[in-house]
Amino acid sequence: MARTVIIEEFGGPETMQIVDRPVGDPGPGEIRIRHEFAGLNFIDVYQRTGLYPNDLPLTLGMEAAGIVEAVGEGVNHLSPGDRAAYASMPPGAYCEARVMPAAQVMKLPDGIGADTAAAMMLQGLTVQYLFHRTTPIQKGDTVLFHAAAGGVGLIACQWARSEGINLIGTAGTDEKCQLALDHGASHCINYRQEDFAAKVRELTGGKGVDVVMDSVGADTFEGSLDSLKPLGMMISFGNASGPVPPLNIGILGQKGSLKITRPTLFTHIADHHTCQAMANHLFEKVEKGDVAINISQRFTLDDIRAAHETLEARKTTGSTIIEI
């Protein structure tokens, strides 16, 4: 049996409950993993509220790290006793142990702890595909990154600095702006005090940025388009402030033949070999010291409701983990 967080209806943090569930043995292509830590991400909120629909009852959580207890037939990249981590479908990381598909689970290097791994898999792999698998970004290009002091944002600031990319961040307080600057942002705009699109134009000599990476959604979408240079790329990869309203595609032509995409991590990591290569790139960045994982909040499984409330109130910086 394993203590497991589930919801039986969509809604607020109060819908989450902890129950005991049988774990079982892995079948072909599966592993059984005992978790030490799980990560907390906005996708967990989207699934809890039903913005991203799933069948009920639903076990929440998309990333974790722990010890492999057993492997099923056909699993060759993991063995019992391996330290491992993942960001993967289906949901279910908020638990003591689970049986799950093995293809997107990665063996951890000795130099990366389980808490660090649980804090970085989903966010770090997201940054990897944003900078390397979505649109060509070269040294010297300029990127606008919203929520630059969040978990994904602080990794992105460091990633950009390590590759000679100018990153202009946005955040909601001066303290958060300073945090982004400390982690490698070239500039950071307090969007509560300034019109970020106008400031971006000022910072770029009126040209605009090459790429916008926007996980905020509704509140920043129009300003993000207005921050792009002609032929620029808008990457909308989240909905923290709510989903983006329907778009008249003709606006992209009017604003300079802009491009737009709405990617998800799980499309990029669906292939086992691609997923492993992306993870190895992330591990290399962390082990070399190019990227340090900032764990700013820690909760226990019993505090899962408070963890969600804190995240939704935008009171977090860096990454948040759940001790199992």
Side-chain angles (χ1 to χ4, degrees), residues 45-111:
V45 174
Y46 304 154
Q47 292 176 345
R48 192 201 72 223
T49 62
L51 178 64
Y52 291 179
N54 286 275
D55 293 335
L56 296 171
L58 175 66
T59 305
L60 295 173
M62 299 303 300
E63 69 176 340
I67 305 296
V68 176
E69 291 189 326
V71 301
E73 181 183 351
V75 176
N76 300 313
H77 67 292
L78 295 166
S79 301
D82 282 348
R83 301 169 59 253
Y86 65 87
S88 175
M89 294 290 280
Y94 293 178
C95 66
E96 292 176 329
R98 69 185 291 200
V99 169
M100 64 179 295
Q104 280 68 48
V105 182
M106 279 71 76
K107 184 176 178 179
L108 274 179
D110 292 339

Side-chain angles (χ1 to χ4, degrees), residues 3 35-39 95 297-303 320-324:
R3 298 178 75 230
H35 293 146
E36 298 177 80
F37 298 93
C95 66
Q297 299 79 214
R298 294 173 182 256
F299 295 88
T300 67
L301 204 60
D302 290 320
D303 295 329
T320 304
I321 59 172
I322 311 300
E323 186 170 358
I324 305 299

Side-chain angles (χ1 to χ4, degrees), residues 146-154 157 170-171 175-177 179-180 188 316-319:
H146 293 296
V152 180
L154 291 184
C157 289
T170 71
E175 292 76 15
K176 287 187 175 183
C177 283
L179 190 60
C188 195
T316 64
T317 58
S319 300

